[in-house]
Amino acid sequence: MNNPDPSPIRPLTVSARLGPASGLDVLSRQEVARLRDASAGGLHQLLRSCALAVLTQGLVTDDPRAASEMHADFEIQVLQQDRGVGLELINAPAHAFVDGKIIRGINELLFAVVRDIVFVSTQIEAGSFDLDNSVGITHAVFDILRNARVLRANVAPNLVVCWGGHSISRYEYDYTKHVGYQLGLRDLDICTGCGPGAMKGPMKGATIGHAKQRRSKNRYIGITEPGIIAAESPNPIVNNLIIMPDIEKRLEAFVRTAHAIIVFPGGVGTAEEILYLLGIMLHPANAGIPYPLIFTGPSESAAYFEQIDRFLRLALGDEVASHYQIIIDDPGQVARQVAKGVERVRKYRLESGDAFFFNWAISIDESLQHPFHPTHEAMASLNLHREQPRHEFAADLRRAFSGIVAGNVKIEGMRAIEQHGPFLIRGDDKIMQALDDLLAGFVSQQRMKLPGTAAYVPCYRVLHD
């Protein structure tokens, strides 16, 4: 006699009421009402999805629907109390608690979610953000970062942004830790996209370097956005989480706050970040502004960076290589070059009068600031031809990669692919061939999806003119 299929194992859950550990000012009754509003015009669903992402730290998946399906009965409510604001968690993942008490770091990140969702929505509703022009967008980015207490006056430049993939090999992950350790020994703080892989490793390594230097008040900043956080939950080391409204403001936040950027191996999201930054650095208005940029990985990843370098040179000209260094298998040299670059930035800021904590001087073209919505029509309409200024071509290439990111890990993009098939990407024949080869390399190296998950099905088709 066959036994019936066993019922699926329900994950262990905990229900609790929380007060903020730190980092959240009191909310008005109107703000609390908006967060509790479960209607289409409210913020409740956004709060729930971002909070669940924080609570499911360590869940190995890059499907943003996985956590929601696993914890379909999870609920969160914002409580207005006489002494401030609180949260009620119902059927929250049990691994976020120890002996019935929520882990302090998770508590801090939960209230950071509330802080950013409330601040951004109320500022937009009040008309405080002017998102129709470049200056207004930059000021919105500044205001969000200031409200999150990321910007510190009277502190010498020391913030290193680390980019790289969530789906990387073990030896690549270990290498990111070694680099982070060397950065920590040199009193450098770390900012990443806050997720796993190359976003976690540098922070983990830096914690040891900082501890050896007996350094306190270390900053491990994670910058994300609602479409990404569900697929890349914040790693446990992040002690300052910021949720920007969209990917463009997230990228601008990285560029404005960084004093140097390190790029580790990654996939399409990392390529998008590289092209965004190069689109800025290639703009004539930014000539002469120091901006240290280093590509690095272990010896096993040398071919990866050779392919990235070839693609960038083909698309944007050999001169583009003057904007970055490639250092293979030498964490100490990476950290030394970053420290030298940060010192150049410090001197330039002093001479130019620019702030240490926010790069006002660098010019970001408005085309890079407005949100790109990767519909099938928008992806097919991208101008992927070289007969245009290099910084504009870099911006359109960046949008192509942004669309693939959406098709891979963002709910809206995944649904669009399921309904209408893959995005069609068309452009210059040589560029499209190189792009096709680059993306095929990402697929074969398992940089599109986490190893062990379902086989990757491309969300795109590259067409040649």
Side-chain angles (χ1 to χ4, degrees):
M1 177 177 166
N2 293 329
N3 292 325
D5 291 337
S7 299
I9 299 175
R10 285 174 50 84
L12 297 176
T13 61
V14 171
S15 296
R17 288 192 173 191
L18 312 175
S22 63
L24 181 70
D25 295 326
V26 295
L27 302 181
S28 70
R29 290 184 176 181
Q30 184 181 22
E31 289 168 335
V32 173
R34 291 202 69 226
L35 283 168
R36 298 183 65 180
D37 182 8
S39 68
L43 300 169
H44 181 82
Q45 188 55 40
L46 176 61
L47 172 65
R48 181 185 180 278
S49 62
C50 291
L52 186 56
V54 168
L55 289 162
T56 52
Q57 289 179 357
L59 179 64
V60 183
T61 180
D62 48 15
D63 186 335
R65 297 168 293 193
S68 183
E69 292 171 356
M70 185 181 300
H71 298 280
D73 56 354
F74 166 71
E75 192 51 83
I76 181 171
Q77 294 294 341
V78 180
L79 308 173
Q80 181 69 54
Q81 304 170 144
D82 291 340
R83 62 184 181 276
V85 67
L87 293 177
E88 182 175 14
L89 305 181
I90 302 167
N91 298 319
H95 69 254
F97 296 78
V98 176
D99 298 334
K101 295 182 179 180
I102 194 164
I103 296 170
R104 182 181 175 90
I106 293 177
N107 178 301
E108 291 177 356
L109 300 188
L110 276 175
F111 280 91
V113 166
V114 175
R115 176 202 66 213
D116 290 342
I117 289 175
V118 168
F119 180 73
V120 171
S121 65
T122 53
Q123 293 298 98
I124 291 175
E125 195 173 76
S128 300
F129 290 164
D130 181 359
L131 302 180
D132 294 327
N133 64 80
S134 181
V135 172
I137 292 170
T138 294
H139 277 275
V141 171
F142 175 85
D143 283 344
I144 294 168
L145 293 172
R146 179 174 57 181
N147 185 66
R149 301 171 186 170
V150 170
L151 307 179
R152 294 184 179 179
N154 304 316
V155 175
N158 79 327
L159 187 62
V160 182
V161 166
C162 296
W163 286 338
H166 69 289
S167 180
I168 58 174
S169 65
R170 183 69 205 191
Y171 56 80
E172 289 173 338
Y173 174 68
D174 288 341
Y175 182 81
T176 69
K177 290 194 295 183
H178 295 319
V179 172
Y181 170 70
Q182 292 293 331
L183 296 173
L185 289 176
R186 290 165 175 81
D187 290 338
L188 295 165
D189 285 327
I190 308 296
C191 174
T192 76
C194 92
M199 292 167 276
K200 177 182 178 182
M203 292 183 174
K204 195 168 187 178
T207 59
I208 305 302
H210 288 154
K212 285 189 175 183
Q213 295 288 18
R214 301 297 187 265
R215 188 172 182 269
S216 60
K217 298 182 179 178
N218 307 308
R219 293 192 296 168
Y220 309 111
I221 300 170
I223 304 178
T224 185
E225 55 101 4
I228 289 290
I229 189 172
E232 296 178 359
S233 296
N235 73 69
I237 302 170
V238 171
N239 62 12
N240 200 329
L241 175 68
I242 306 98
I243 301 177
M244 304 301 291
D246 50 61
I247 190 67
E248 285 75 15
K249 294 175 187 61
R250 180 197 194 199
L251 290 169
E252 180 164 353
F254 282 130
V255 171
R256 297 282 185 189
T257 57
H259 302 114
I261 292 183
I262 297 173
V263 179
F264 295 105
V268 287
T270 305
E272 176 186 6
E273 291 163 340
I274 291 171
L275 286 161
Y276 178 88
L277 181 55
L278 290 177
I280 294 170
M281 297 170 75
L282 291 170
H283 196 290
N286 296 319
I289 297 179
Y291 207 108
L293 174 60
I294 295 175
F295 299 169
T296 190
S299 56
E300 295 91 339
S301 303
Y304 167 84
F305 286 109
E306 289 172 4
Q307 189 176 22
I308 292 285
D309 183 52
R310 282 197 306 271
F311 178 77
L312 293 175
R313 288 172 181 266
L314 174 65
L316 303 172
D318 286 333
E319 318 87 74
V320 72
S322 66
H323 292 285
Y324 55 81
Q325 290 178 268
I326 300 177
I327 301 174
I328 300 299
D329 208 22
D330 195 340
Q333 178 66 359
V334 171
R336 285 189 290 272
Q337 290 300 314
V338 166
K340 290 178 181 177
V342 169
E343 177 59 18
R344 290 195 300 273
V345 169
R346 187 187 72 85
K347 291 180 178 178
Y348 180 85
R349 301 277 180 95
L350 285 173
E351 292 169 358
S352 65
D354 199 10
F356 285 165
F357 54 82
F358 193 81
N359 191 339
W360 291 106
I362 202 162
S363 176
I364 300 181
D365 193 87
E366 195 169 340
S367 65
L368 286 170
Q369 294 179 300
H370 291 293
F372 172 64
H373 302 290
T375 63
H376 281 73
E377 181 181 5
M379 289 289 285
S381 300
L382 292 173
N383 180 14
L384 301 181
H385 298 83
R386 286 181 287 190
E387 291 76 27
Q388 57 179 312
R390 291 185 304 160
H391 66 278
E392 294 180 10
F393 187 30
D396 259 338
L397 282 171
R398 172 252 145 184
R399 294 183 189 98
F401 283 102
S402 186
I404 298 173
V405 171
N408 282 349
V409 300
K410 294 187 179 182
I411 291 176
E412 295 81 3
M414 296 170 75
R415 287 174 178 163
I417 299 301
E418 290 168 355
Q419 293 174 7
H420 306 294
F423 292 131
L424 302 181
I425 304 172
R426 185 188 305 274
D428 179 277
D429 186 61
K430 287 185 178 180
I431 301 297
M432 291 302 98
Q433 185 60 60
L435 176 62
D436 217 357
D437 292 343
L438 184 67
L439 294 172
F442 290 167
V443 174
S444 66
Q445 296 161 27
Q446 295 186 304
R447 300 188 187 279
M448 294 290 202
K449 298 286 285 184
L450 287 168
T453 58
Y456 177 69
V457 178
C459 65
Y460 60 88
R461 281 180 56 206
V462 179
L463 307 176
H464 303 190
D465 283 351

